Amino acid sequence: MNMKLTFAGAAIAALIAGTAAQAQDVIGYITKSATNAGWMMINQGAADAAAEEGVQLVSVGPSFQGDLSSQLEVFENLVAQGAKAIGVAPVDSSGIAPAVNDAMSAGIPIIAIDTGVSGADVTSFVATDNFAVAKEQGNAAAGLVEDGDAVIYVTGNQAQSTGQERRNGFMETFKAQRPKSEVIEVPTEWDSAQAQEGVEAILNSRDDIKMVVNAWDGGTMGAKAALENLGYGAGDVKLVGFDGASDAIVAMDEGWVHADTAQMLYQMGYQGIKAAAAAARGEDVNPRIDTGYFLVTPETSAEYKKMIGME
């Protein structure tokens, strides 16, 4: 899936310059990433839903991680070219709001996928309950360390509701159960290189870190790379993930990851585009679609892999 903006403009023009019937079938899908393992699962769900619905899915995304300006440009292009509905995973929950307001005012249904929109109404929000699942992550993490153990928490982008809710849910539950533990934060914008560099810097300065908890599995893999670079082995420092991305589950099987609160990633993309297609036809759509989660541990890994088709 090519996520470059130049591709987006050409694809939209090609699809909508034809007959009116074609235009009615165009659904825009503005994603965050085409390369992150978790987002590849979401995007596959979106593509499969579009195929089932018989719609033309125009998939586009930011030029680089966290690039709001290019998401806004793509959004405006889709609206101007007459997309009948748009699914969007905002890189900035507030920053995308003006474009969402304009589209909704023009009668174009907007489906927020994975991340909510702050300051604008949407037709439907399709996602995990991030705060609730992050509390489950905090509970699982607390069970892996003793009170007083030092841990690292790798954040997601705090400009997004997703990043805020995952951090807040984790902190609330973990600190209630392990009040004497120090939690050292590594801020990122969902960038695995930032996660790796931040974790490495802390591990280079301290030898008492017992666990690294991550707001998403790109961070989990970045933390794993940091540990490997510094000569740690699997299990020397516990890793806790969030997403259930396939690469993190492989790392769990290898002994690196000890718990992962898995989103139903495929279902987010699938249900999101299903909702967009239904809204484009004028059908009623549930304003909140919770796609659920699954707590993956070494004991439940086989069951999870069967659920998502890894085996």
Side-chain angles (χ1 to χ4, degrees), residues 22 24-27 48-57 277 281:
Q22 284 178 305
Q24 291 173 358
D25 291 333
V26 172
I27 303 295
D48 289 350
E52 287 184 15
E53 293 290 335
V55 298
Q56 296 279 359
L57 189 69
R281 293 191 296 264

Side-chain angles (χ1 to χ4, degrees), residues 2-310:
N2 191 330
M3 309 305 295
K4 294 184 181 298
L5 292 174
T6 52
F7 168 80
I12 294 167
L15 287 170
I16 303 179
T19 66
Q22 284 178 305
Q24 291 173 358
D25 291 333
V26 172
I27 303 295
Y29 173 49
I30 307 173
T31 184
K32 290 182 185 177
S33 172
T35 57
N36 173 282
W39 274 98
M40 290 174 69
M41 294 167 73
I42 296 173
N43 297 343
Q44 185 61 56
D48 289 350
E52 287 184 15
E53 293 290 335
V55 298
Q56 296 279 359
L57 189 69
V58 179
S59 298
V60 290
S63 297
F64 55 87
Q65 185 72 33
D67 183 16
L68 174 62
S69 62
S70 62
Q71 263 204 342
L72 289 171
E73 184 179 347
V74 167
F75 207 114
E76 291 167 3
N77 287 342
L78 286 166
V79 171
Q81 295 291 346
K84 297 305 176 182
I86 298 173
V88 59
V91 299
D92 185 317
S93 294
S94 298
I96 202 74
V100 171
N101 276 324
D102 289 345
M104 291 285 287
S105 296
I108 301 172
I110 303 298
I111 310 299
I113 297 173
D114 173 70
T115 299
V117 176
S118 302
D121 292 331
V122 295
T123 306
S124 182
F125 176 34
V126 181
T128 304
D129 184 337
N130 283 288
F131 185 77
V133 178
K135 291 181 70 173
E136 182 68 27
Q137 183 191 46
N139 183 62
L144 293 170
V145 294
E146 300 295 328
D147 195 14
D149 286 346
V151 306
I152 295 171
Y153 180 74
V154 179
T155 79
N157 190 336
Q158 295 302 292
Q160 297 174 9
S161 63
T162 307
Q164 296 165 14
E165 291 164 2
R166 292 184 190 181
R167 178 192 178 279
N168 294 343
F170 167 76
M171 291 293 187
E172 179 179 303
T173 301
F174 183 80
K175 287 186 174 181
Q177 296 188 44
R178 298 291 180 263
K180 297 178 182 178
S181 287
E182 179 185 7
V183 180
I184 307 156
E185 294 188 45
V186 172
T188 83
E189 296 182 354
W190 308 114
D191 186 318
S192 59
Q194 291 175 340
Q196 179 177 341
E197 291 166 7
V199 170
E200 257 187 68
I202 293 170
L203 292 174
N204 270 322
S205 64
R206 300 181 56 155
D207 60 3
D208 61 339
I209 302 299
K210 301 299 183 184
M211 178 172 64
V212 183
V213 182
N214 302 275
W216 89 114
D217 276 336
T220 306
M221 300 310 293
K224 175 178 178 285
L227 290 166
E228 289 178 307
N229 282 349
L230 296 175
Y232 288 84
D236 290 345
V237 173
K238 295 180 172 65
L239 291 177
V240 177
F242 192 121
D243 269 345
S246 55
D247 49 4
I249 302 308
V250 170
M252 179 178 286
D253 291 343
E254 295 170 348
W256 287 95
V257 178
H258 293 72
D260 197 306
T261 42
Q263 304 184 80
M264 300 294 100
L265 294 165
Y266 178 92
Q267 285 297 318
M268 277 200 291
Y270 181 84
Q271 296 296 337
I273 297 307
K274 281 279 191 178
R281 293 191 296 264
E283 299 172 11
D284 290 336
V285 176
N286 193 323
R288 179 67 173 98
I289 300 173
D290 184 347
T291 48
Y293 77 98
F294 186 94
L295 178 60
V296 190
T297 66
E299 292 72 33
T300 65
S301 173
E303 180 182 356
Y304 176 71
K305 286 190 289 185
K306 185 176 181 180
M307 286 171 59
I308 66 170
M310 279 185 69

